[in-house]
Amino acid sequence: MALISIFPKAEPKPDNASDVFPMPGDNARAESVQRLQIGLAGLGMMVLLIGLAQVVYDRAQMSEAETVPAAAATVAPKEAEPVQSDPLAEAGVVPDLPSEPVSQPTQEPAIMPEQGNAQRP
């Protein structure tokens, strides 16, 4: 019966350990130069982007200054008669009301019992 191990077997170390595990600092100068180049390129791109935005903004300001405002009307508008609209009447919810008020018939005042001129049936 063979035993299966869950732990990997230890391999012997090679004679040249620097090939397997590179020492830090071997490429330190090359990496720092590359990081410096990337940083300077980023700064240059930001300066160009800000310059482009400034040019666009200046052109928009010049264009705004040169435009003619909307021309005013040369003819005075006619004064329209005030239209009284009744949206409920137009929708058919309420009947149309007459334009002139209808006079109400006058009613004689009611006879009060204190006056004493009421007739008994």
Side-chain angles (χ1 to χ4, degrees), residues 1 5 7 15 20 28 35-36 38 45 48-49 54 64 67 71 82 85 88 96 100 102 107-108:
M1 197 165 169
S5 174
F7 300 107
D15 294 336
V20 177
R35 288 179 183 161
L36 183 63
I38 291 172
M45 291 299 290
L48 287 175
L49 185 63
Q54 185 65 37
E64 183 73 25
T67 57
S85 64
L88 294 176
D96 287 336
E100 296 178 10
V102 178
Q107 183 178 0
E108 295 180 13

Side-chain angles (χ1 to χ4, degrees), residues 9 13 18 24-25 29 33 45 48-49 76 78 87 93 96 105 108 118:
K9 292 182 181 180
K13 292 184 181 181
S18 65
R29 180 169 171 77
V33 169
M45 291 299 290
L48 287 175
L49 185 63
K78 296 179 182 177
V93 177
D96 287 336
E108 295 180 13

Side-chain angles (χ1 to χ4, degrees), residues 59-115:
R59 291 292 294 173
Q61 292 295 329
M62 287 174 41
S63 175
E64 183 73 25
E66 293 175 359
T67 57
V68 177
T74 56
V75 179
K78 296 179 182 177
E79 291 187 26
E81 296 178 11
V83 177
Q84 295 180 354
S85 64
D86 190 3
L88 294 176
E90 291 174 4
V93 177
V94 294
D96 287 336
L97 299 175
S99 59
E100 296 178 10
V102 178
S103 63
Q104 296 290 333
T106 57
Q107 183 178 0
E108 295 180 13
I111 300 173
M112 303 301 283
E114 294 87 26
Q115 294 176 348

